[in-house]
Amino acid sequence: MRLFVGIQMPKEIRDRLKAISFGLAGARWITPDNLHATLRFIGDLDGPSVDDVDTALGGVHAPGFSLTLNGVGQFGRGHMSHTVWAGIKTQPALVHLHDKIESASVRAGLDADRRKFTPHVTLARLKKTPEHEIADWAQSIGDLKIGPFQVDSFQLFRSHLGHGPAHYQVLSEYALEPELV
Ligand code: ATP
Ligand code: MG
């Protein structure tokens, strides 16, 4: 069972992202309903049960926060470019939530994830998209700023892969605490 922990983008944010999701050769755009930020990729469980993970995530106590999307970027360079995304402005409350989810995951029995956390919303996967076309697309968008919007929960998703776009199923939703002001 392929799992990940993330934050669903609200409808008005998905609409804004959808509006910039065009005009790039070789791009496979994310289905608007699937737009999200991944906080922790789990993948196939090997050891702990879904219940173990769910219980551990249910024990995460962290305050809500407001999120702003800033700019677009890419993973990979040149002919290795494979993803374009909208950046998430990093902030202490988001990093705090990420760290809490990471320690809950390890407590549940998952292997530690030591990769650097680069908060983003994936917009498209690329296949043989020339670098200059990515640059042109990014330039046509200009200085992207979406939000701020309130994040008051996060979700445990199951991802169903098959033919066509992935199908995400929300297995559990976890409320965040009232934002600290
Ligand atoms: P597809 O793989 O068909 O393009 P998808 O990437 O949307 O679909 P998944 O591969 O199940 O669906 O990924 C779910 C989420 O986890 C996405 O945000 C993806 O970027 C992230 N993800 C997938 N694999 C990894 C990985 N190995 N490390 C970190 N994050 C990952
Ligand atoms: Mg994938």
Side-chain angles (χ1 to χ4, degrees), residues 16-166:
R16 294 281 307 276
L17 293 171
K18 189 179 166 190
I20 60 167
S21 297
F22 71 97
L24 196 49
R28 184 163 55 82
W29 298 102
I30 300 294
T31 309
D33 282 351
N34 279 358
L35 291 165
H36 69 279
T38 299
L39 294 170
R40 181 22 146 132
F41 180 71
I42 297 175
D44 277 317
L45 283 179
D46 170 23
S49 66
V50 182
D51 272 355
D52 295 336
V53 173
D54 179 42
T55 302
L57 292 174
V60 168
H61 297 290
F65 48 90
S66 58
L67 208 64
T68 303
L69 303 185
N70 260 162
V72 293
Q74 70 192 82
F75 288 140
R77 287 287 149 194
H79 67 283
M80 301 293 276
S81 303
H82 54 83
T83 304
V84 286
W85 40 260
I88 292 179
K89 200 174 165 193
T90 187
Q91 51 160 312
L94 175 63
V95 173
H96 178 71
L97 175 61
H98 171 265
D99 292 351
K100 287 268 186 142
I101 289 171
E102 179 56 27
S103 47
S105 302
V106 170
R107 223 180 307 124
L110 300 172
D111 290 336
D113 183 351
R114 298 182 204 286
R115 283 170 296 190
K116 183 171 175 284
F117 177 47
T118 308
H120 65 278
V121 178
T122 295
L123 299 176
R125 316 266 179 219
L126 307 177
K127 209 172 176 184
K128 296 182 180 161
T129 305
E131 185 78 36
H132 69 270
E133 294 207 19
I134 303 174
D136 288 349
W137 170 77
Q139 197 170 12
S140 75
I141 290 163
D143 192 12
L144 180 77
K145 183 176 183 296
I146 300 178
F149 61 96
Q150 193 60 29
V151 177
D152 50 22
S153 66
F154 67 96
Q155 295 86 26
L156 174 64
F157 294 88
R158 177 173 179 189
S159 172
H160 300 264
L161 300 180
H163 297 292

